[in-house]
Amino acid sequence: MNPSESQFPPRPTALVQQMLGGMICEGDLVIDATAGNGHDTLLLAACVGESGRVLAFDVQEAAIISARGKVSAAGLANRVEFYQESHERMGDHAAEESVAVVMFNLGYLPGEDHERTTETGTTLGALDVAVGILKPHGVLAVVCYPGHPAGAKEAEAVEAWMTVRVAQGWRVAKYGAIGTRKPAPFLLVAAK
Ligand code: SAH
């Protein structure tokens, strides 16, 4: 990380990749709850190694196609199972306390139908499901986008949800730029 570059401080999307890259082990089962264009799916697939697995969810076919293409081009398709389903269904595909990391990158699919954004109700529902399938000491990571009204409401609700986890003994942190023209994207990370 070079502080003279424009990439400093790192964006939440870069920071979450650095953090998760350092904690995912060979053989882990991990979940990308919002596959989108597959940038995070690819990183997760690289981290879990030959014996690990990534479950990747997205409701949009365009996202699944894009993400699958990225993973296939890297030769990692055999490590990833794609589901064109809402992330609230992740519990149908992973056993209780089996998952090392669940990550969400909220908002809309860049370059595609902006209508199909994540929504507060389903996001919170999926976070509740994630709690059950995460291992003890498993990590939940959520990149929030408060820069537009709906995203701000969703980000606020996710942060409130995380605050409840703190009261239950989880360790939670928030990272994001300050003093920006519009509220900047931020990362919430939580350890069970
Ligand atoms: N905001 C990010 C990209 C987020 S992509 C950025 O700027 O890079 C978010 C993805 O979540 C989209 O591809 C969208 O289709 C997907 N999504 C929306 N609702 C979902 C749901 N209920 N379950 C799974 N994926 C969902």
Side-chain angles (χ1 to χ4, degrees):
M1 199 182 294
N2 182 350
S4 70
E5 289 174 0
S6 62
Q7 296 306 313
F8 188 89
R11 293 169 197 275
T13 44
L15 186 60
V16 70
Q17 291 204 351
Q18 287 174 23
M19 290 175 82
L20 297 181
M23 63 179 71
I24 294 171
C25 299
E26 168 97 32
D28 276 349
L29 173 62
V30 304
I31 293 183
D32 185 350
T34 49
N37 285 317
H39 297 107
D40 298 316
T41 317
L42 179 61
L43 180 274
L44 295 174
C47 291
V48 297
E50 196 58 52
S51 61
R53 284 293 169 271
V54 182
L55 313 185
F57 293 82
D58 205 292
V59 285
Q60 290 194 71
E61 186 181 20
I64 298 287
I65 290 170
S66 175
R68 183 178 274 133
K70 202 161 269 125
V71 168
S72 296
L76 302 179
N78 59 342
R79 302 179 186 180
V80 185
E81 294 168 21
F82 286 98
Y83 295 99
Q84 192 183 338
E85 293 176 15
S86 175
H87 35 226
E88 290 169 292
R89 303 270 305 273
M90 64 174 82
D92 298 352
H93 305 284
E96 290 285 294
E97 306 207 330
S98 66
V99 178
V101 167
V102 179
M103 77 164 292
F104 292 74
N105 186 5
L106 302 177
Y108 55 81
L109 181 63
E112 294 290 336
D113 179 6
H114 288 192
E115 299 296 310
R116 203 63 215 255
T117 180
T118 54
E119 286 168 8
T120 303
T122 44
T123 298
L124 296 182
L127 288 170
D128 287 336
V129 174
V131 168
I133 60 176
L134 274 172
K135 293 177 174 181
H137 308 299
V139 169
L140 189 52
V142 186
V143 180
C144 300
Y145 294 83
H148 62 99
K153 276 190 67 184
E154 183 181 35
E156 194 183 322
V158 172
E159 191 171 338
W161 184 95
M162 290 284 184
T163 305
V164 175
R165 303 285 88 67
V166 177
Q168 296 171 348
W170 292 46
R171 286 157 294 145
V172 181
K174 177 181 178 180
Y175 304 93
I178 63 169
T180 51
R181 192 171 49 81
K182 286 197 285 183
F186 61 84
L187 166 65
L188 294 165
V189 284
K192 189 175 175 181

